[in-house]
Amino acid sequence: GLRPGKPMVLVYMSESPMSEMDPDGETNLQTTDSFCRQVEGELRLRLFQWKHARGDMVMEPVFHCPYVFHDSGYGLTTQEDTVVSDAANAIVGHRYYTQIRNEKDVEKIQSPTIVCDWDLTEQNYRSACDLLGGVLRVEKRGMMGYELCPVDELFVWLGIEEGMACLVERPELFHLAMERLTVAHLHR
């Protein structure tokens, strides 16, 4: 309506240090089955956010059961050392090892193959329906919240310091790698 109003606020909880934000353990999981833990984790996070960090959000009475798929990846995997400063916190420090040093190494970036596991998707859907017992509508849904930030992936393969140096000293290599990764993302 082009009328001034209060700005919208997005509270993004999935990468928050929950060990610091949830000292009372409201998001601690109680179930042991891996699928049940996924469902419980999502529901507990929703309730926690509604209670403590609402922001401008819509809470639909639906549980999205994701399609199960297998992804061959981009041909490179994360090679890193991690440092844990707080055992209760899922957020850790990373040191990435350089895997792309020249134009030939850029060819390691491959377009992934994605295969849906229809049987497991259906099994998970039926399990979610049984678990939620009509309290929430269950819908199968593709990947939610897909974020495309190829520069982050590229820095994982270049290393942080090496990647920054590459931007300054060898921008053509950085652009070549970014182009190949973008094509792979589009293929995916």
Side-chain angles (χ1 to χ4, degrees):
L2 299 177
R3 286 173 284 202
K6 81 172 188 132
M8 300 290 283
V9 175
L10 170 65
V11 179
Y12 189 67
M13 299 287 292
S14 67
E15 293 182 3
S16 300
M18 294 307 293
S19 63
E20 296 172 20
M21 295 178 64
D22 182 19
D24 298 327
E26 293 177 58
T27 59
N28 291 352
L29 303 180
Q30 303 297 312
T31 55
T32 56
D33 175 80
S34 63
F35 178 73
C36 291
R37 289 176 72 81
Q38 291 173 13
V39 173
E40 181 188 9
E42 181 178 327
L43 295 177
R44 283 185 178 276
L45 188 59
R46 276 197 219 177
L47 291 170
F48 183 86
Q49 184 169 356
W50 185 260
K51 183 176 177 183
H52 300 288
R54 198 172 293 181
D56 291 297
M57 58 193 250
V58 175
M59 190 75 68
E60 296 285 345
V62 63
F63 178 82
H64 295 116
C65 188
Y67 288 98
V68 178
F69 63 92
H70 305 285
D71 185 335
S72 67
Y74 295 106
L76 292 167
T77 58
T78 303
Q79 295 179 11
E80 66 180 330
D81 291 326
T82 58
V83 175
V84 177
S85 59
D86 176 3
N89 193 334
I91 298 172
V92 299
H94 303 266
R95 181 179 78 188
Y96 300 111
Y97 290 96
T98 303
Q99 300 177 66
I100 299 175
R101 298 180 187 281
N102 54 48
E103 289 77 10
K104 182 142 179 69
D105 288 342
V106 171
E107 295 173 17
K108 295 176 185 175
I109 302 171
Q110 301 296 311
S111 293
T113 300
I114 311 296
V115 178
C116 188
D117 186 332
W118 298 108
D119 293 336
L120 188 53
T121 296
E122 185 63 25
Q123 178 184 333
N124 287 351
Y125 171 75
R126 291 186 189 284
S127 295
C129 289
D130 290 343
L131 283 170
L132 298 172
V135 174
L136 293 176
R137 186 175 73 251
V138 179
E139 294 178 358
K140 294 179 201 169
R141 187 174 240 181
M143 201 161 148
M144 298 252 326
Y146 180 74
E147 298 171 357
L148 180 60
C149 193
V151 73
D152 286 356
E153 289 168 295
L154 198 51
F155 272 99
V156 167
W157 301 330
L158 287 168
I160 303 300
E161 290 179 24
E162 297 84 350
M164 297 300 276
C166 184
L167 272 170
V168 174
E169 298 167 2
R170 300 184 62 202
E172 69 287 344
L173 177 63
F174 195 90
H175 284 280
L176 183 66
M178 184 60 71
E179 175 65 27
R180 185 152 176 119
L181 182 55
T182 301
V183 168
H185 268 288
L186 291 172
H187 174 85
R188 183 173 195 254

